[in-house]
């Protein structure tokens, strides 16, 4: 197998789109300790900029509060939980990507709901009252967090209105009316607040043109565009879960690219594009999310997605999520990068590996991404076994990556390798070996945490002289569905001349 | 005003009944960070033994999970949240006082619910399935936490079945049937598990005799008895809140004493008695809970309640509580000793003061309790302004307590005084001065935390020689609705002979 | 007593000189946990920019390490402890103000030492080797922390060379030689590193002109000037301590001002001036440091010192300090703002109060400083009882400050008052009442922490209409040696119309 | 290679002697944060009962404080640092094993010192004053921590008096005089305090008989005996370090056994025996301490030492240690199980592995120890590559251990394996690959922490039916100088019947 020669000079810059945003379960869940502990861990290891989820206006956050008692009548806007959550977000170092929805019952025109937690998906019975609610929310946020801060928080109008489970009858005209009421309300509060939509699900390409036409015709703001991407097929149900087919990873990248292709030439052509949700499966009960396969599958998506979109937001950072109810088992195919109690899944490690990449891209390939840190010169290699979804054959047990990396001439480089695959850094595999306990005991949780640690190996490699400076041969054998990070730093040898390790257990 | 002479020898032992148990909002809320932070604080400052609340079997904990898919049918018992909560309890150092309820929807015979969170209050449609559920829960707990541990956790059957809002039609016969099914199920798991009831509300004295008759007739276990006590009158509604009248504090003590009076001579006469809920008002939206008045009112109840019951459980430790929905304001008359974000209310301080009392009771009075710590000899004084509820006139601005305390002859005692009253240690009063902000800003929250700190003063007092050893005159002037703790320790004077504070700013 | 009318418009800006730097015990002590916990607390409450102390080159930090064994000879430079300390500083959020000294034994020309910890105060036996040591240190720091960062760390040459206890024979010529060797060594590493001196003690005015002449003649850098200021008289010894006279606070300000007066017209005239040490007493065993008197004394110094110097560094932040050996008692007259185990002294509170002042100065007086926060409009008042040192009579028991403060017309302001005086916020006074325990027990430490909390009171005041907007009358009565902070914020009244506190304990 | 058949029934109980005590650098170092953080980590992972080190009476703890000033004369006993350290110990969950020494300068009869930190090793100039000092210390400890607690703290008289570097002239008679004065002083405080000695170094067998004779003749208490054990040869010096030969591990066990052999038949025959120091090398600068070799070497010592002594205390838990001065490099051959900043060495992992063993010993062998936890039934296997010191040839690259383990019949066991060897769990090896940086940078420290993590693997094994119940074949291949822990737990298989991992990436 030939060796890939990694260039000395950067070919480009690694976009931060992959960590610009991450998805979350409904707003109210952010009050939980497991959720906040998990988010704090993710921010320490990964460092997302925004977090986006549903339900800030849902009844269990209880912002919209009409009252009528003892001769007093009116509507209070209550921010008890909004403040607790957003205070926590900012303390943890992440900003909200606001999604307006779902409909407070007392403002709803109907009683259709979505999810186990009954999000109301009907239009407001009074658009003026909706506008007041939106403005009350934004004015409160500005009052509490400052205008400069809130101007950096995007405001997205609703979620997947093209699906009738999320928006009554998937009524496009009704959505446009909601969009108009919302964006005008937002801009009236402050013209520099960023507002956009239409937050459509995959497979709704036919919404783009009407949306462009509508905002053009009505001269409405659309500071950014948003859309979702998933690559799984229909659900094959079993109790408490599903299996699905998966298309190839390129399919996700194609979905990322689609809106700009469609909107070329329209007024929306160069608006910022946010993939406000993406994942392999769109189901919170598909075991693929727990696997190394998921990480290997997404590696090329993270490495390359930034060329198509300004952000793509993994749905979601944690298994603290209840759209289908409370999961029946510790591992249950949840969307989370993190299972309950901060057990890290392989996909979490993929993100943590990405967070250690440099900004200068030296090489991109089908199974690798090589970067360099501008400041320190550290070279970082992300490698993975390519996987192809349901249409590809089973992957082999091993995958070889052979690279020739530029390095300072003379001496050695210190390498630290981190591996995740079917057995390494794989809590789900350990859990399976345990007999898949639904409620792991204390020692089992400890063992899952231990099993979730990536395999690591520290070593050094010689630098061979080359035409354009030194070169290091890095040969990696990855395990099945493996994702590997290698960091390479030049060795500054401080070994004193008198050191002789053979004398440590001296022979007389 | 005459001085109360505190005896030298203990008159009795201070019962721990006041901190044997504390109440909580529904089980699911224990997943929240604010809840857990508050509970950890309470355990640090107070140290309750048990915690009791509703809803371990409610749908949002999701234990009972029938399934029917892909040809598979059955019932799973899911403990994902049960484990998270009880793990947290034990980590924080508190044990669950289990209350069986409310009814899982899939097991319910009807759809009547209670509270904003819709607890189902109908009997099981199948008592055998209910028994299986109860056994699955207990077996899981024993499996996870050990039999020795779980035997120390009381199991209470349902909540206030004598009220039709909590039990369909307040049907006594149906409750007895549930009681029988439950206790037999529990004892089948392990005969030493402790199970009891009937958890009746105030005003249901007529339930005791039939209950005694029933368990006697059917030879059923009743390892303990439980009842609730509140001393407020009917609710006078305003938006988001109520006002109520209050009976005098003695009324609560009378309620504590009632069951044993009624049951004298029955088989249940000397069973352990737990007041599994008590407070002034039974409403989670009565501002009295936030005030110093509430603390002064409860001081004699805490000081004396242990003579009537084995425990009396303040309902509740935290304002994280949602029976009437999400509160519309930071302070909202919630039951909590702690408001959101660990802001301490006067009643919290009353409990923290009680936690510093010694075990030996030296004196008990209408406005004071004096104790001594066996080991260190520290004398602790709890004093309060007596308040009398709605039938008493307004309390004066000041209240004097004059005590003569035994102390080692010769020398002085060091005194540390802690005050809570209408202005000291009173976050609610500060919040009122701020203009009652519904969502306090960051600086306002800081100010509330600062304002919640009791006023403190350190000083020393001379010991005068007396017939039976030394005596210290302690004169306390309490503020309106004041509760004061004074600790008294003998001074061991180590001042070197050369010390002369007048020389600190020496004059040449 | 007339009321001081506080202007509406700012009269100037409050300089940050008071918190630009703080003093510390020797470098090695920074390895301790009590030290680091105390520094972290100070940074949370006060937020100094730099920290300066002695001994980075002392033998117990062990940087300079000649070796000669097994045929190998040379000098190693060892940064094990340097790194641990500076890593901790940066983690805690403070930067080092580097002081070069004292002399490593192996590089010293003599064996004269200072302090219990034996700092060698003799010139280097070889100035080239000294220069190598200085360069090794700076190169290592730059390598570890980055050049941009280290350029912000001032480098001061030696400490108080004008005193023969700190510099052999107080030999000026020898100091100038050391200065030259040091600054040239530093600038050779990087020309933008900031280096200065001469770090002279009070009473060495005669060193300024020769220093100016020397650096002019030799064309040497002096990026800043440094000098110390103390206002106490000679030590009157008792076992483990001293008493001293004190000059008036103005004396400290005069000392701050002196160098610029003397150097007017020289090349050094407008160099940044750092008072790299100041305090009342220069002794680490004078009880004045523990008192409210010290805080009241320093209040006008902190309020006004910024007009004379670019920084003035309180010597020191913590009692973890061993120049005279290990103190014989918990309170022992140590320099610290914090006693051991983070017990806060009154002077600590003075600094914490200053940290809450706004940047806009509205009024400065003999007993007050009034500021406003530009962003929020909060007005902050610092008031103190003026004290005059040994030449003034005893201060009265009370001090009145009457101010008329600008405020938004209509409505009220919320005020939070914090008091420190002879009994409030005064752990030392509580310790005295305890009998001055040398080694406080666990409960005594708890009581000291409680006693160290400032007295606080929350209240609101009406705004009266005035010619130039609203006015609030603020009348403060301070206790003996009192220092008081009041924050004033406009009330935004959210009290709903239905609120009636008289109904809380409703009368039927 | 034959398979070792592990019996089903326990052959004995694993003694806790291996973790009864651990060694530490001098008392004063316990004030440091790195020290306390390291100790807290060790207590979390290992859980020692006692900690023993030198210097509680050394000048830098400053207990003994004669004064003579202003007409006042006397001796103060100062416990400022004693309290800080012992408070920290108890908070961390470890008790002091008190060693009386070294001599305060003001009480010393000469000026001979030991170590870089100058511990005075001369007899007291006045034995009565020494006795007062010892009593002052113990009375203070009892006062602060309670008599019941202090009775559990052994008191050892001096350290290695048989060596002239630790005790002037190694004068046996003078030691006996000190012993007598000390034990009588201790017992006068409280007769149940535990006191002993003679704390002799290896190679002083000739001290035992005279010691036995002396205490018999004078009828002196000797509640326990203490001795040290090291197995290294003479130091071969290089700069900042040494190399040494090592005897075989059995030599250490022989040293543990020696005192009881010698004292058989004497009055001291069955006194508790504490090996109050042991290690391979007695030097704090021998790189062997940093290696996997050290762990493999000590594995059989920990597994078997409890048969010879009541405790054997690894010298020391942390590299925070300064007997030879401040180390010149991060890794420097220090005694610590933990390097600076909590970097775990292989020997730390050996101890952490031991802490996971059960109490029932199922098998002991040359390369393994197999235990079972009484409660849970978990079987734990500790395996190691036997190493033989300087007289043995180099060990092979691999070592095979083949075991047949009892297990519940039917089903599988879940196994978690943890490996430490020349490359796994080996921060020192990673540091060597980095070029042995004396002061590792931030990223290097991170990499060292990562490299210190043991390699882990989770898997399951089938249980084969056997004559006396089920059996699991466990085949372990260890790396060079490897130490391995395997935990084995029966699998309770909860896999639902519908699970089919082949469907996770479903093929259509």
């Amino acid at each position: 197998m030939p060796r890939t020669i990694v260039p000395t000079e950067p070919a480009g810059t690694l976009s931060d789109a992959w960590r610009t945003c991450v998805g979350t379960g409904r707003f109210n869940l952010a009050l939980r300790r497991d959720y906040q502990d998990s988010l704090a861990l993710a921010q320490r290891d990964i460092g997302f900029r925004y977090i986006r989820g549903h339900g800030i206006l849902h009844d269990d956050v209880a912002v919209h509060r009409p009252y009528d008692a003892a001769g007093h009548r009116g509507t209070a806007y209550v921010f008890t939980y909004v403040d607790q959550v957003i205070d926590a977000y900012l303390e943890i170092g992440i900003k909200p990507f606001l999604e307006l929805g779902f409909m407070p019952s007392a403002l709803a025109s109907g009683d259709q709901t979505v999810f186990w937690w009954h999000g109301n998906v009907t239009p407001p019975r009074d658009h003026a009252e909706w506008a007041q609610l939106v403005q009350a929310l934004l004015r409160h946020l500005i009052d509490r967090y400052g205008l400069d801060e809130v101007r950096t928080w995007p405001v997205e109008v609703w979620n997947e209105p093209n699906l009738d489970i999320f928006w009554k009858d998937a009524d496009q005209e009704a959505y446009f009316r909601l969009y108009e009421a919302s964006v005008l309300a937002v801009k009236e509060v402050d013209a520099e607040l960023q507002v956009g939509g239409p937050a459509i699900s995959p497979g709704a390409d036919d919404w783009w043109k009407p949306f462009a036409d509508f905002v053009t015709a009505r001269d409405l703001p659309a500071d950014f565009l948003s859309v979702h991407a998933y690559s799984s097929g229909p659900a094959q149900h079993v109790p408490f879960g599903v299996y699905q087919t998966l298309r190839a990873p390129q399919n996700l990248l194609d979905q990322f690219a689609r809106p700009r292709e469609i909107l070329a030439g329209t007024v929306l052509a160069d608006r910022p594009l946010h993939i406000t949700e993406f994942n392999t499966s769109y189901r919170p009960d598909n075991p693929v999310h727990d696997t190394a396969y998921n990480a290997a599958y997404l590696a090329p998506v993270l490495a390359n997605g930034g060329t198509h979109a300004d952000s793509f937001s993994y749905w979601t950072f944690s298994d603290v999520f209840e759209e289908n109810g409370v999961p029946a088992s510790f591992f249950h195919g949840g969307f989370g990068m993190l299972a309950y109690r901060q057990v890290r899944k392989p996909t979490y490690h993929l993100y943590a590996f990405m967070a250690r990449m440099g900004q200068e891209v030296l090489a991109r390939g089908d199974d690798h991404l090589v970067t360099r840190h501008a400041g320190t010169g550290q070279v970082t290699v992300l490698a993975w076994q390519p996987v192809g979804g349901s249409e590809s054959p089973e992957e082999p047990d091993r995958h070889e990556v052979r690279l020739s990396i530029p390095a300072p001439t003379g001496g050695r480089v210190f390498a630290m390798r981190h591996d995740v695959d079917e057995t390494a850094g794989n809590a789900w595999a350990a859990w399976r070996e345990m007999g898949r306990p639904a409620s792991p005991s204390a020692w089992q949780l400890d063992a899952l945490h231990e099993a979730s640690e990536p395999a690591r190996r520290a070593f050094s490699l010689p630098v061979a002289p080359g035409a354009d400076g030194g070169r290091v041969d890095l040969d990696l054998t990855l395990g099945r569905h493996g994702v590997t990070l290698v960091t390479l730093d030049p060795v500054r040898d401080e070994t004193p001349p008198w050191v002789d390790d053979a004398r440590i257990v001296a022979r007389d």
Side-chain angles (χ1 to χ4, degrees), chain A:
Chain A
M1 153 183 203
R3 184 175 301 285
T4 302
I5 307 298
V6 174
T8 300
E9 287 308 309
T13 295
L14 185 61
S15 154
D16 255 3
W18 67 273
R19 69 167 157 191
T20 294
C21 194
V22 74
T24 168
R26 78 176 187 279
F27 196 83
N28 178 287
L29 295 176
L31 297 169
R32 296 202 185 156
R33 179 180 158 198
D34 197 6
Y35 180 105
Q36 290 190 25
D37 288 351
S38 293
L39 188 57
L41 184 71
Q43 289 307 90
R44 192 197 69 181
D45 290 344
I46 305 170
F48 294 104
R49 184 138 200 258
Y50 294 102
I51 185 164
R52 172 195 171 277
H54 312 317
I56 195 173
L57 299 177
H58 179 55
D59 286 357
D60 66 358
V61 182
V63 172
H64 179 258
R65 307 293 290 280
Y67 58 87
D68 182 358
H72 300 278
R73 232 185 130 147
T75 299
Y77 298 104
V78 172
F79 301 105
T80 302
Y81 289 173
V82 169
D83 291 354
Q84 279 199 29
V85 170
I86 297 183
D87 285 3
Y89 281 166
L90 298 180
E91 196 182 300
I92 290 170
I94 201 164
K95 294 164 180 277
F97 191 116
L98 299 167
E99 177 201 309
L100 299 176
F102 294 119
M103 197 57 62
S105 328
L107 186 50
S109 58
D111 55 12
Q112 182 188 331
T113 66
V114 68
F115 299 140
W116 179 76
W117 47 272
H118 299 303
N120 185 296
V121 294
T122 67
R125 55 165 171 60
D126 179 329
H127 281 73
E129 206 173 323
W130 167 261
Q132 279 166 25
L133 168 62
V134 167
Q135 293 192 335
L137 173 65
L138 287 165
R139 288 194 174 114
H140 173 75
L141 295 176
I142 289 165
D143 193 35
R144 187 175 187 87
Y145 303 106
L147 181 57
D148 287 348
E149 177 63 29
V150 179
R151 280 177 175 166
T152 69
W153 303 354
V155 182
E156 189 184 35
V157 180
W158 212 254
N159 178 69
E160 302 194 353
N162 61 299
L163 295 182
D164 61 9
I165 59 162
F166 281 111
W167 184 242
K168 188 166 182 295
D169 306 327
D171 181 338
Q172 192 177 76
E173 192 180 343
Y175 175 72
F176 288 171
R177 194 171 163 212
L178 182 81
Y179 183 85
E180 178 164 12
S182 304
V183 300
L184 294 179
V186 169
K187 293 291 189 179
E188 192 178 277
V189 172
D190 179 73
E192 293 187 38
L193 291 173
Q194 300 300 300
V195 64
I200 49 178
S201 77
D205 288 351
D206 54 330
W207 271 55
W208 284 119
K209 280 294 175 78
F211 182 68
D213 292 345
F214 176 70
V215 299
T216 308
R218 308 279 297 176
D219 195 19
L220 293 175
D223 298 315
F224 63 85
L225 306 175
S226 63
V227 66
H228 300 170
Y230 293 96
S231 55
S232 54
Q236 304 160 22
H237 288 275
V238 290
F240 306 116
V242 303
Y243 295 112
Q244 292 171 284
T245 55
L246 277 185
R247 288 182 291 275
Q250 182 59 40
N251 176 270
L252 278 177
L253 294 168
D254 293 346
Q255 290 184 53
F256 293 3
R258 204 78 183 99
R260 285 191 174 149
E261 291 163 16
I262 296 173
L263 293 169
T266 75
V267 64
L268 300 180
D270 45 18
R271 299 294 161 86
L273 172 64
H274 297 299
I275 313 300
T276 50
E277 290 181 20
F278 88 99
N279 206 323
T280 47
S281 161
Y282 58 81
R283 294 276 318 187
D285 52 2
N286 181 330
V288 74
H289 295 128
D290 303 327
T291 65
Y293 187 96
N294 207 65
Y297 182 104
L298 291 179
V301 178
L302 267 63
N304 297 295
T307 58
H308 304 296
D310 295 279
S311 77
F312 42 106
S313 179
Y314 188 75
W315 189 254
T316 60
F317 82 97
S318 162
D319 273 357
V320 177
F321 189 88
E322 290 178 339
E323 289 184 357
N324 276 19
V326 181
S329 179
F330 186 84
F331 278 111
H332 53 267
F335 286 121
M337 296 176 189
L338 289 166
Y340 294 121
R341 299 168 187 246
Q342 296 78 63
V343 171
R344 294 163 298 167
K345 300 185 190 175
T347 300
Y348 183 87
H349 291 303
L350 169 66
Y351 271 87
F353 292 170
M354 279 295 289
R356 295 176 75 159
M357 302 300 281
Q359 250 201 312
E360 299 176 359
V361 174
L362 296 183
R364 264 183 224 274
D366 287 347
D367 57 4
H368 64 270
L369 174 69
V370 184
T371 66
R372 188 165 56 201
H373 283 271
T376 63
Q378 185 187 61
V379 171
T380 44
V381 175
L382 184 75
W384 59 87
Q385 182 184 44
V387 302
S390 296
E391 287 151 39
S392 296
E394 279 278 289
E395 294 75 19
D397 279 358
R398 300 253 163 274
H399 179 71
E400 309 281 336
V401 180
R402 302 182 68 215
L403 302 166
S404 164
I405 312 267
T409 316
R412 303 179 69 82
V413 295
F414 173 77
M416 179 67 91
R417 176 175 176 173
H418 310 251
D419 281 292
V420 168
D421 59 30
E422 281 296 316
T423 57
N426 197 321
W428 179 77
W431 175 78
R432 198 179 48 191
E433 297 299 304
M434 281 174 190
R436 309 187 201 243
S439 298
S441 65
W443 77 258
Q444 287 174 326
L445 285 168
D446 287 345
L448 291 176
H449 277 111
E450 289 178 334
S452 75
E453 194 70 23
R456 293 210 172 82
R457 204 157 69 82
F459 54 99
S460 67
L461 293 171
V463 180
D468 58 347
R471 286 272 157 192
V472 169
D473 286 351
L474 181 68
D475 290 4
L476 302 170
T477 302
L478 277 63
R480 196 143 179 268
H481 304 153
V483 177
T484 292
L485 174 75
V486 186
T487 61
L488 298 167
D489 288 270
V491 168
R492 194 197 312 185
D493 196 349
E494 300 182 24
T495 308
W498 54 78
V499 164
D500 177 2
D501 290 344
R503 295 180 64 192
I504 291 178
V505 180
R507 266 67 186 179
D508 286 314

